[in-house]
Amino acid sequence: MFSNPFAFSSEAPRPPAEDEQSLTSILSTPEDRSSLTLLIAHCTESMRKTITDTFDASQTGKPADIITDLMDEDGFDNPNLDTSNVDVAAHDKAREERARREKELSAPKMTELREASLQYFDEWRDIVLQRVGEVVNSRETAKAQKHEAKAASPRAPSRPTIEAEDYDEGVAIALQALYPPFDTSLARLEKDQRALILHSMLLLLLSLEHYSAYSRVLLLYLTSSLRLTIDFLAGDESKVAKGLLAGAEKMSAEEETKKKAEENAGSRKWKVGLASVAGAAIIGVTGGLAAPLLAAGVGSVMGGLGLGATAAAGYLGTVASSTVIVGGLFGAYGGRMTGQMMDQYAKEVEDFAFIPVVDHHRPRKIEKEHRRLRVAIGISGWLTEKDEVVEPWKVLGKGQEAFALRWELEALLSLGNAITTMIKSTAWGYAKSELIKRTVFASLSAALWPLSLLKVSRIIDNPFSVAKARSEKAGEVLADALVNKAQGERPVTLIGYSLGARVICTCLTKLAERKAFGLIESVVLIGAPTPSDAADWRRMRSVVAGRVVNVYSTNDYILGFLYRSSSIQYGVAGLQAIEGVTGVQNVDVSDLVSGHTRYRYLTGSILKKIGFEDIELEEVHREEEALREADRREEEQRQESAKKDSAMNPDEEVKDMEKEVEERNQESMMGWATEKLRLGGNTTAGVFGQARAQFSPGSRIGAEKTD
């Protein structure tokens, strides 16, 4: 059996002062209070159905599921089925595919995963209903309504009925499509009353002493049903984060204790930057309770929206009186990960670090202004300069605490140098003109690659093979960091392109193996060089509470060429839709992506296209301008290369390309070594010697192999 991760110290809520607003004053009748607990029961039932559908062989997320369900085992005997409109061949194919899914889902490990995910969710749901019931009616009433609940039906995207003067319609449409609103009498209350309900629910969920990914998804359902905007929810989360930190700061330990903890968190920072995401700013490392002073401070800072300070502190429960819990929520104790563990991470993955996307120049003074209740981690998949670790992720908005994952810097630079050199070559230009005459999969399945391109492959295959192998190790380390709560008790969104997406896939697979649920809110995988096998994606889906998005392009010939020696019989996620798994959103960006290198400049545009809830539009525009400039440079280089190499045979061109890649790797080596010196931890001779060895032919980059 699993230990209960949702146990919390339950205290009877203190009654608010007569002039203070609270849930019980807004919901003044038993019917109103019952409406809230019933709404929560409906929302959580929808969330549970998402899990059961993931493991249901009859559910693939396609309209054809309905037709298949109408047909019984004997074929067309169902009286509700209009047989004149049925494609018999398609039906037979659907039945065969369903049989394969049933076999896959009956495997012992898949059955075990399903049971574990449902057990975890049911425990979380019971404690949420219990906590809300304590405040608005009774535990028994709230739990009983669980059996009355019904899941929401999927809705076609439409213009939302939201009372707001200014909102992103694309985000609002995505909210209501993903988290369909329930019909509730609470939606007819005044806007400020609905806002107070949502605010109170956030505090109640935080009183569980963590902010689970499931808690966040529940709030998205409530936001949709209460006809409020995501911007309101994100703004409220930001205010609550600041309020918690401000309250904890007032009750923090002595300055000497803070300095000592800060020094410990910063040790070995260049090797493993877990301290960054784990809350490098120290929040009240007291080891005890701060009693009513913190509660009063939190209540007054976070009252807002008309909610009384006493009610706010009461809803937060023990969170309002413990700097230890507040510190744990924001990851202030990531330093508990021992030095031995951090050393092990550094041995397995070079340069593993979380880099803040927003650069804080005075972190101790303004740090709490940038802390949030949610974490987003962006992962780049290849680099041409070290700044590209962070640059693509500046599009992530301020409603979340955004980090970029730095991993295997030299391997990604080597791969980026090889890719960018290859695509401007005459061989690639000729090959592309031939390849566009057929699909990427036709080239993959029949191995129809031009001979000149295959000669060029020797400069790209090994860097890709090595970086691909290292991405899997990075994914394992990332999973371990998340399980050990480097991010605190906050939900995490993972976004990655190219091999960065492969890091995420490995991470999710490892989380599924460890039955680590409730950590991941949403995932966006862009141009992923990973299999599209349904079983793999089902496992990944099981550990994500919110969205799983697969972004692909059928025009990505670079990815097809790089992946040609892998197990293509299992498909390529970055080239096709994922089939047979409900809950995976496939987004075709073939109109935007004509090649793998464009993803680096399209993260913002893609996130906007899918209705991602928090992006910086100004950064998206800057990214689009950078793409136009990159296209212009690439075309100039291609034309220059064509003039220069017109009389050169393919073998000579390959030698020139190898020389160019080696020179660029040397430049990368210098930049990489300088960065390590800046971060500290080695002598000049040692760092440059290590860098030279890693980038030189015959090094681990030149020798490592992968399947």
Side-chain angles (χ1 to χ4, degrees):
M1 294 294 290
F2 299 94
S3 60
N4 186 355
F6 305 112
F8 70 101
S9 301
S10 175
E11 299 176 359
R14 287 167 286 179
E18 290 184 7
D19 58 344
E20 288 187 348
Q21 290 274 40
S22 68
L23 274 179
T24 51
S25 65
I26 292 294
L27 307 174
S28 56
T29 68
E31 290 77 18
D32 286 341
R33 297 173 192 178
S34 181
S35 292
L36 176 58
T37 49
L38 183 58
L39 175 59
I40 294 168
H42 284 319
C43 294
T44 54
E45 183 61 26
S46 279
M47 294 167 64
R48 193 180 197 278
K49 189 173 186 300
T50 298
I51 299 173
T52 56
D53 283 354
T54 299
F55 295 95
D56 187 342
S58 68
Q59 298 297 317
T60 66
K62 293 181 178 180
D65 293 343
I66 301 170
I67 299 296
T68 305
D69 287 342
L70 282 172
M71 298 180 178
D72 58 26
E73 290 300 316
D74 296 323
F76 306 101
D77 294 338
N78 192 317
N80 297 317
L81 182 65
D82 180 4
T83 56
S84 63
N85 294 322
V86 173
D87 185 332
V88 178
H91 166 57
D92 289 342
K93 181 181 178 182
R95 181 177 288 177
E96 289 173 5
E97 290 174 350
R98 178 165 173 169
R100 282 197 295 270
R101 290 194 298 273
E102 287 173 346
K103 182 178 179 181
E104 171 214 320
L105 287 164
S106 64
K109 286 189 176 180
M110 197 65 78
T111 302
E112 182 185 337
L113 182 61
R114 179 185 185 278
E115 291 174 353
S117 61
L118 286 173
Q119 179 179 340
Y120 182 97
F121 179 84
D122 289 342
E123 289 175 353
W124 169 83
R125 176 170 65 169
D126 285 347
I127 206 71
V128 168
L129 290 171
Q130 173 186 323
R131 181 69 178 120
V132 177
E134 288 173 346
V135 172
V136 299
N137 42 39
S138 70
R139 296 186 184 186
E140 291 72 22
T141 302
K143 281 196 170 186
Q145 287 177 323
K146 176 175 70 174
H147 304 294
E148 303 174 34
K150 295 180 181 179
S153 300
R155 295 191 177 192
S158 61
R159 187 179 179 84
T161 54
I162 295 175
E163 298 173 21
E165 294 179 2
D166 183 31
Y167 69 96
D168 187 324
E169 186 172 346
V171 173
I173 290 173
L175 171 69
Q176 295 204 358
L178 293 162
Y179 311 106
F182 288 90
D183 185 19
T184 172
S185 60
L186 301 179
R188 293 184 279 280
L189 295 173
E190 294 296 324
K191 184 179 178 182
D192 59 344
Q193 294 177 313
R194 287 179 276 128
L196 187 143
I197 291 171
L198 191 66
H199 177 63
S200 300
M201 280 301 306
L202 173 58
L203 302 188
L204 287 169
L205 289 169
L206 288 173
S207 75
L208 305 182
E209 301 179 9
H210 56 73
Y211 192 28
S212 164
Y214 288 124
S215 295
R216 214 302 163 134
V217 171
L218 171 57
L219 287 175
L220 289 170
Y221 269 107
L222 292 174
T223 300
S224 176
S225 295
L226 293 172
R227 305 299 192 266
L228 295 170
T229 67
I230 282 189
D231 283 346
F232 171 79
L233 174 59
D236 196 34
E237 287 173 322
S238 298
K239 290 174 185 174
V240 168
K242 291 176 186 177
L244 284 170
L245 293 171
E249 190 174 53
K250 291 178 182 178
M251 296 303 300
S252 61
E254 295 178 353
E255 188 64 25
E256 189 60 34
T257 304
K258 290 174 67 179
K259 285 182 180 178
K260 181 64 177 174
E262 193 171 33
E263 289 170 3
N264 291 340
S267 66
R268 286 187 253 231
K269 191 175 179 182
W270 75 268
K271 290 180 78 177
V272 183
L274 289 172
S276 298
V277 75
I282 305 305
I283 319 158
V285 186
T286 65
L289 298 180
L293 289 177
L294 175 57
V298 168
S300 60
V301 172
M302 293 196 312
L305 300 173
L307 184 66
T310 305
Y315 294 166
L316 280 168
T318 54
V319 174
S321 58
S322 172
T323 54
V324 172
I325 296 173
V326 173
L329 180 66
F330 288 93
Y333 306 113
R336 283 180 178 174
M337 301 179 74
T338 66
Q340 198 171 30
M341 288 179 68
M342 295 173 81
D343 284 341
Q344 185 60 37
Y345 283 171
K347 287 176 184 176
E348 293 180 7
V349 179
E350 196 72 33
D351 304 320
F352 188 88
F354 295 103
I355 312 297
V357 171
V358 177
D359 185 19
H360 309 319
H361 297 291
R362 295 183 300 163
R364 294 190 65 186
K365 292 184 179 180
I366 67 169
E367 192 271 345
K368 66 176 180 291
E369 294 298 314
H370 297 278
R371 301 309 296 272
R372 296 292 183 268
L373 287 174
R374 297 183 294 123
V375 172
I377 302 173
I379 311 177
S380 300
W382 52 269
L383 309 169
T384 56
E385 53 187 37
K386 61 182 178 59
D387 290 344
E388 289 181 337
V389 170
V390 173
E391 283 297 317
W393 312 112
K394 288 184 177 180
V395 299
L396 296 176
K398 295 181 175 62
Q400 61 222 326
E401 200 168 334
F403 294 86
L405 178 64
R406 188 179 69 201
W407 61 284
E408 289 290 341
L409 200 63
E410 80 282 1
L412 295 183
L413 285 166
S414 178
L415 175 61
N417 290 337
I419 290 176
T420 52
T421 299
M422 181 187 77
I423 62 173
K424 69 180 184 182
S425 68
T426 304
W428 178 256
Y430 169 76
K432 190 172 180 182
S433 66
E434 291 296 309
L435 291 172
I436 59 176
K437 297 174 184 177
R438 51 185 177 265
T439 67
V440 178
F441 275 104
S443 298
L444 274 172
S445 57
L448 298 173
W449 301 102
L451 180 60
S452 58
L453 186 58
L454 292 174
K455 289 185 177 181
V456 169
S457 69
R458 72 191 197 205
I459 73 161
I460 189 71
D461 283 352
N462 204 48
F464 179 70
S465 178
V466 170
K468 180 164 159 264
R470 304 305 287 179
S471 72
E472 291 164 10
K473 293 182 180 179
E476 293 176 12
V477 171
L478 177 59
D480 201 55
L482 296 177
V483 167
N484 283 288
K485 303 300 176 68
Q487 75 285 2
E489 297 285 353
R490 299 178 290 174
V492 177
T493 290
L494 299 173
I495 310 166
Y497 68 84
S498 188
L499 286 175
R502 190 176 178 92
V503 170
I504 295 171
C505 288
T506 302
C507 171
L508 297 179
T509 300
K510 293 300 175 183
L511 291 178
E513 288 177 5
R514 297 170 73 164
K515 312 295 190 296
F517 308 107
L519 300 175
I520 308 300
E521 178 188 345
S522 293
V523 165
V524 183
L525 302 164
I526 304 172
T530 60
S532 57
D533 180 62
D536 292 339
W537 284 78
R538 204 179 307 281
R539 281 187 283 270
M540 292 191 288
R541 168 71 259 189
S542 72
V543 292
V544 181
R547 306 175 71 177
V548 175
V549 184
N550 175 50
V551 179
Y552 68 96
S553 169
T554 58
N555 296 327
D556 193 348
Y557 293 94
I558 297 173
L559 176 58
F561 185 65
L562 290 171
Y563 209 74
R564 73 192 186 285
S565 59
S566 301
S567 302
I568 60 170
Q569 68 270 26
Y570 297 112
V572 188
L575 298 175
Q576 64 187 125
I578 305 304
E579 297 182 348
V581 184
T582 190
V584 175
Q585 180 185 0
N586 292 293
V587 179
D588 186 350
V589 292
S590 301
D591 57 331
L592 293 175
V593 178
S594 56
H596 205 59
T597 55
R598 293 177 69 85
Y599 283 126
R600 149 70 181 87
Y601 301 98
L602 286 170
T603 52
S605 298
I606 288 170
L607 292 177
K608 183 179 178 183
K609 181 183 178 76
I610 67 173
F612 191 78
E613 67 175 273
D614 196 5
I615 58 174
E616 294 288 338
L617 292 178
E618 185 177 333
E619 288 294 333
V620 175
H621 297 321
R622 184 191 60 79
E623 202 177 57
E624 290 170 347
E625 181 57 38
L627 175 60
R628 285 190 286 270
E629 177 61 21
D631 284 344
R632 185 189 62 76
R633 284 198 314 268
E634 185 180 314
E635 184 56 33
E636 285 179 358
Q637 289 171 344
R638 188 179 290 112
Q639 289 176 3
E640 244 178 65
S641 179
K643 290 177 185 176
K644 177 176 141 187
D645 301 333
S646 57
M648 187 181 296
N649 67 45
D651 291 330
E652 290 175 339
E653 183 182 22
V654 171
K655 288 179 182 178
D656 277 6
M657 290 169 66
E658 287 177 326
K659 183 179 178 183
E660 180 179 346
V661 170
E662 185 177 347
E663 289 173 353
R664 293 178 66 180
N665 282 345
Q666 290 294 325
E667 292 175 9
S668 298
M669 175 202 76
M670 298 295 289
W672 179 76
T674 302
E675 176 74 3
K676 295 191 82 168
L677 278 173
R678 185 181 69 79
L679 293 170
N682 258 315
T683 64
T684 303
V687 168
F688 277 89
Q690 183 184 9
R692 187 175 294 108
Q694 286 171 323
F695 276 94
S696 64
S699 69
R700 71 187 184 98
I701 288 185
E704 190 168 349
K705 301 294 181 184
T706 181
D707 292 332

